[in-house]
Amino acid sequence: MEWKIDDSRPIWPQIKEQLMRDIVAGKYPMGSPFPTVRDLAEDAKVNRNTMQRALSELENEGLVITNRTSGRTVTMDENLIKLTRGKIAKEKIVSFRQEMEDMGFTMEEIISLMRGSDSDVEKGE
Amino acid sequence: MEWKIDDSRPIWPQIKEQLMRDIVAGKYPMGSPFPTVRDLAEDAKVNRNTMQRALSELENEGLVITNRTSGRTVTMDENLIKLTRGKIAKEKIVSFRQEMEDMGFTMEEIISLMRGSDSDVEKGE
Amino acid sequence: MEWKIDDSRPIWPQIKEQLMRDIVAGKYPMGSPFPTVRDLAEDAKVNRNTMQRALSELENEGLVITNRTSGRTVTMDENLIKLTRGKIAKEKIVSFRQEMEDMGFTMEEIISLMRGSDSDVEKGE
Amino acid sequence: MEWKIDDSRPIWPQIKEQLMRDIVAGKYPMGSPFPTVRDLAEDAKVNRNTMQRALSELENEGLVITNRTSGRTVTMDENLIKLTRGKIAKEKIVSFRQEMEDMGFTMEEIISLMRGSDSDVEKGE
DNA sequence: GTGGTCTAGACCACA
DNA sequence: GTGGTCTAGACCACG
C-alpha cells in the first residue's frame, strides 16, 4: 500500500484518514483481522507510537475492535461503516465544492474538469 | 469576509489559500490595491505577524506586489493568475477524486452526489 | 563561531548568508546533523524566531533538511552545494568588480590591492 | 545613468553609495555643479525626499557643498576625495575577500575567477 | 499611514 | 528533547 504523508500536518490523523477510507471501501472486510501495529508502522515507515495513535482513534470511533487475546478486527457493524462512508464523502464533497466555487468555477465546469481529469492530469504541470 | 479557520492545521497556510482563491476568483481585481496587513489581521482575528506570514508567501508566488511604503497591489500578470487558478483547481480535483475513489465511489456516483449536495448538505450532520 | 551582524540590514538574511557560506565551505559536512535552532540562536544572541526564519530559508533552498522531531541535517546533494557555492561566488565577484570599476579601479589595480590587503588592512582605518 | 536599487535595504543609503562612487571616480569633477535634487530624483525614479536624504548625507561627509544661491557643487578638497576613494575600496576589498575565503576560496582562485568573470558572467545562470 | 523586523514568552505535536 | 506556530507588543524606515 502506498501511504501519502504530508509533512505539514501531524502524521497520525493522515494515517487515520487513510485507514478509514480503506475500511469503508471494504479493503479490510467487516469482521476480518486487522494488521498489527508493528506491520502497519513498518509498511508506512512511521514510528510505532504514531501508528498506535491512529489506531486508537479508529477504535474510539468503533471502526476497529481490540480483543485482548486475538488482536484487532474490523467492526461487524455494517451500519456504522455505511454511515461513516457517507459522512466522510459528504464532508469532502461540501468542502471541495465550496472551494471550487470560491474560485469561480460553476458546477458544470467542475464536473467537466473532473471527467477530463483522467487525461489532463497526466499532461499539465 | 468570512474566514474559515480550522485548528487542525497552521493558520497562515489556510489564510494564504483563502486569499489565493479570492485573488484567482477576481475578488481582488488585477492591479487593484490589496487590504493592509493590519486590516486583514483584524478582520480575520489573527495576529498581524500571522497575517504577514501569509501575505509574504503570496508575494513569493508573485500574486501580490509589495510597495514598502504604500501597501500592496494585486499582480497585473493575467497569465500568472490564470495558471494559478488552473493549478489549484487541478490539484484539488485530483486529490478529491483520488480520495473518493479510494472509498469506492465511481465517477458517476461522485457527480451524482455533487449535484445533489445542494439539498443534502442542508439535511444531514 | 563568530557572528558578524550589521544593523544596516535585517538580521535574518545576514545569518542565512553566513550559514550558507559555512555549508558550502564544508564547515557543516554533507549529511551531518545541523545545530538546533535553540543552540544557534543562543550562540548568535538572537531570538529563536529570528534564527528560525533564517533556517527556514535555508531549507527552502534545499541546503538543509528538516526532520520535525529529530532536528536538521545538511543536504546530501553534492551538486546543489557546488552549484550554490559557485552561484554565490559569481554574484559576489560581479558586484564587487562592478563597484570597484565604477570607482575607476582597473582590474590590475584591484588585484594588486587585494594581494596587498593582508598588510594594508591592518594599518589605515 | 542606471540606478541599481535593492528593495531589501532602505533606498537612500544605496543612492548615497552610488553617488559617492561616481564622485570619487570623477564622474562629477571637483568643483563642478551637482545636479538638482529634482533631476536626480526623477532620473532615479525615487521620491524627492529620499534623494534629499542621500544628498544631505553626502554633504555631511563634505563631498558636496551647498551654496544657498547657486545650488550644490562637488567639493574642491582633492585629498578628501582620494581618502574617501581609498576607504571605500579598502572596506569593499576586506569584506569581499573575507567572504570569499569563508567559502573556501584561496586568493589565487579568487583572482583567477575575477579575471575570468568577463566571459563567465555572460554564460552561467 | 504603510510594510518589515525583532523579542519574549507561550503552547503544540512528535518520538 | 526537537521544530513549528502564535500572540502581544515594540521599534524602524519610508513618504
Side-chain angles (χ1 to χ4, degrees), chain A residues 40-102:
Chain A
L40 285 169
E42 191 176 350
D43 188 41
K45 290 170 186 156
V46 298
N47 187 286
R48 272 185 228 169
N49 294 332
T50 305
M51 185 57 75
Q52 181 78 35
R53 173 77 182 265
L55 290 186
S56 81
E57 295 281 333
L58 286 184
E59 212 175 320
N60 287 344
E61 311 208 5
L63 289 172
V64 303
I65 312 291
T66 298
N67 299 320
R68 285 207 181 266
T69 58
S70 59
R72 290 184 172 79
T73 57
V74 177
T75 182
M76 302 274 289
D77 184 343
E78 185 174 359
N79 203 33
L80 174 62
I81 288 188
K82 279 189 181 166
L83 280 176
T84 303
R85 184 169 181 258
K87 184 183 165 198
I88 298 174
K90 189 160 52 187
E91 285 171 359
K92 288 206 175 300
I93 288 168
V94 170
S95 71
F96 169 70
R97 196 182 152 183
Q98 181 66 55
E99 289 175 352
M100 291 298 284
E101 292 181 342
D102 284 350

Side-chain angles (χ1 to χ4, degrees), chain C:
Chain C
M1 160 154 194
E2 16 169 349
W3 299 89
K4 291 185 184 165
I5 293 175
D6 167 10
D7 67 348
S8 77
R9 282 197 308 151
I11 297 176
W12 67 262
Q14 301 184 54
I15 290 179
K16 174 191 161 194
E17 288 158 15
Q18 290 185 41
L19 290 174
M20 283 179 79
R21 286 198 292 271
D22 289 339
I23 290 172
V24 302
K27 176 174 167 181
Y28 301 109
M30 290 194 306
S32 69
F34 208 70
T36 68
V37 181
R38 288 165 173 87
D39 287 350
L40 285 170
E42 189 179 356
D43 188 41
K45 289 168 186 154
V46 298
N47 186 278
R48 183 152 82 87
N49 292 331
T50 305
M51 184 59 72
Q52 195 128 27
R53 173 79 185 264
L55 291 183
S56 90
E57 297 279 332
L58 283 188
E59 191 181 6
N60 286 345
E61 313 208 6
L63 288 174
V64 301
I65 311 296
T66 299
N67 286 306
R68 269 178 120 87
T69 59
S70 63
R72 292 178 168 87
T73 56
V74 179
T75 181
M76 302 275 285
D77 185 342
E78 185 174 0
N79 203 31
L80 175 63
I81 289 187
K82 281 188 181 164
L83 281 176
T84 303
R85 184 168 181 261
K87 187 180 164 198
I88 299 173
K90 189 158 51 188
E91 285 171 359
K92 287 207 174 301
I93 287 168
V94 169
S95 72
F96 170 69
R97 196 181 152 184
Q98 180 66 54
E99 290 176 352
M100 291 299 284
E101 292 181 342
D102 283 351
M103 285 194 291
F105 290 95
T106 67
M107 178 64 94
E108 292 313 313
E109 279 176 316
I110 298 171
I111 289 171
S112 166
L113 284 167
M114 283 187 55
R115 283 222 170 83
S117 67
D118 288 308
S119 44
D120 284 2
V121 176
E122 316 307 332
K123 287 187 290 186
E125 136 53 345

